[in-house]
Amino acid sequence: MKNFISANDVADIDALIDKALHYKQHPYIDSQLGANRRVGLLFMNPSMRTRISTQVAARNLGMDVIVFNTDKEGWQIELEEGAIMNGSTVEHIRDAAPVLGSYFDILCVRTFPALADRNTDYNENFINALVRYSGVPVVSLESSTLHPLQSLADLVTIRETFTKPHRPKIVLAWAPHIKPIPQCVANSFAQWVNAWGKADFVISHPEGYELSEEYTCGATLEYDLDKAIQDADFVQVKNWSSYHSYGKVLTTATDRMLTLDKLRAAPNASVMHCLPVRRNVELSDEVLDSSHSIVTHQAANRVWAAQAVLSEILKANTK
Ligand code: CP
């Protein structure tokens, strides 16, 4: 694996899940693999789980880790090729990326979308420029369109906890939110579940919240949430803003918040959410605090997902 930016970078998803679950049993089995190697975590946006789990994973592999809050501590970066930099930006990514590449063996970056212009966001200019100009492997800590470390942890959690003989029924359920949220987690989850190909996959959201078919193709769309979650094994809850009316909040539809009453149609369902979650807006207290919820388990698995990815990259790339 050269870079880890989407499911397309992974040759065998089940093998990567196996590796993550192996690290969960044996966290320090490769504690020398990353000796004398350094990973940089660049954050353009806030994070708790991704920031900490990736550091824990890197240290389990014996790596040195430096976190750089690029948005607050660095120079304002220009992404436009040929820009005349007479405005607020101070350093071009063409200059910053190779310098960062000279300091680190692996670069990880979080760069959220602005949700103003779809083409700009879906072009993924920041992470693509880092790949192009840094000269080292790049790992997404959540980009404008995808969150692959989250999705890998989600599939690790599903494989680990599902014990029935049939294919799991997995539902991605839109939930209300008070502000526009990127499509990254939903896009990414859809991409990974489809690429994994071992589940019956249903997506449910209000009309107008259709995601890009690049990620959802192969899933069943069911607008009616009650029908969608019928007999589900996993319900992944997440808000996202509109893709087609880009970045807009079209409804706050409070009746789409998952409740124990709704879950009577799926009595064995495990409820997932990537966190952070707005309680009693996206998900009710009664669900989050019930035995349905596996959100903490899911977040804990972020360590093993990150460790598997860093390990694959370390083994495949020498500077
Ligand atoms: N799920 C997730 O990425 O959490 P953070 O934003 O806290 O990293």
Side-chain angles (χ1 to χ4, degrees):
M1 190 191 299
K2 170 72 176 166
N3 301 299
F4 184 76
I5 291 169
S6 95
N8 299 332
D9 293 314
V10 181
D12 184 339
I13 289 177
D14 268 314
L16 197 59
I17 295 171
D18 287 340
K19 193 172 186 92
L21 290 170
H22 190 64
Y23 279 135
K24 187 167 186 172
Q25 295 303 313
H26 310 281
Y28 308 113
I29 196 167
D30 281 332
S31 63
Q32 293 304 307
L33 182 65
N36 305 318
R37 309 268 204 110
R38 186 176 305 114
V39 59
L41 310 188
L42 315 181
F43 285 93
M44 302 294 288
N45 314 94
S47 164
M48 182 176 85
R49 280 144 289 271
T50 308
R51 169 187 299 259
I52 296 172
S53 63
T54 309
Q55 288 181 75
V56 172
R59 292 200 170 112
N60 285 351
L61 294 169
M63 298 191 83
D64 185 21
V65 190
I66 292 177
V67 177
F68 179 28
N69 296 309
T70 320
D71 60 329
K72 297 181 188 71
E73 298 161 349
W75 301 110
Q76 196 168 337
I77 291 178
E78 177 63 55
L79 298 176
E80 187 188 324
E81 297 288 352
I84 298 168
M85 291 172 54
N86 58 2
S88 56
T89 55
V90 177
E91 177 158 41
H92 204 282
I93 192 73
R94 288 180 81 121
D95 303 312
V99 172
L100 290 164
S102 75
Y103 298 154
F104 296 105
D105 299 280
I106 300 174
L107 279 170
C108 306
V109 64
R110 168 165 283 199
T111 167
F112 284 175
L115 292 178
D117 177 68
R118 191 171 79 190
N119 284 341
T120 302
D121 290 344
Y122 276 68
N123 278 345
E124 293 279 14
N125 291 328
F126 194 112
I127 204 160
N128 286 336
L130 209 56
V131 169
R132 195 173 311 127
Y133 299 125
S134 71
V136 295
V138 174
V139 173
S140 169
L141 301 175
E142 188 170 350
S143 68
S144 292
T145 60
L146 295 169
H147 194 357
L149 283 174
Q150 179 67 55
S151 307
L152 174 58
D154 296 344
L155 285 186
V156 167
T157 306
I158 287 167
R159 266 240 347 239
E160 182 188 21
T161 58
F162 190 64
T163 53
K164 302 201 185 95
H166 60 262
R167 280 163 71 90
K169 177 179 177 181
I170 301 176
V171 180
L172 171 61
W174 181 94
H177 202 288
I178 57 162
K179 54 183 267 198
I181 299 294
Q183 295 102 38
C184 324
V185 171
N187 283 344
S188 194
F189 187 70
Q191 185 193 43
W192 280 74
V193 173
N194 280 327
W196 184 48
K198 295 188 175 168
D200 295 333
F201 184 35
V202 179
I203 302 178
S204 183
H205 53 71
E207 288 190 40
Y209 281 90
E210 292 77 8
L211 295 163
S212 166
E213 286 189 13
E214 177 182 352
Y215 308 116
T216 60
C217 188
T220 301
L221 172 57
E222 172 54 70
Y223 290 113
D224 185 321
L225 179 60
D226 293 324
K227 283 188 192 159
I229 64 173
Q230 186 84 40
D231 297 324
D233 296 297
F234 297 91
V235 184
Q236 168 88 311
V237 176
K238 187 73 184 87
N239 172 267
W240 61 89
S241 58
S242 175
Y243 170 73
H244 291 285
S245 300
Y246 191 65
K248 298 272 184 308
V249 175
L250 305 178
T251 176
T252 48
T254 52
D255 61 329
R256 294 199 71 110
M257 186 177 71
L258 203 56
T259 58
L260 288 181
D261 189 42
K262 284 190 194 302
L263 279 170
R264 272 194 264 161
N268 300 314
S270 294
V271 174
M272 304 173 71
H273 189 290
C274 64
L275 303 180
V277 63
R278 285 183 182 249
R279 278 178 173 251
N280 303 312
V281 175
E282 287 178 86
L283 257 175
S284 60
D285 278 344
E286 63 176 13
V287 170
L288 278 165
D289 298 331
S290 77
S291 57
H292 283 285
S293 173
I294 57 169
V295 298
T296 305
H297 188 127
Q298 179 184 1
N301 278 339
R302 294 291 305 274
V303 170
W304 318 115
Q307 192 164 334
V309 168
L310 291 174
S311 166
E312 284 293 303
I313 290 178
L314 283 169
K315 284 180 180 163
N317 298 275
T318 47
K319 207 172 178 185

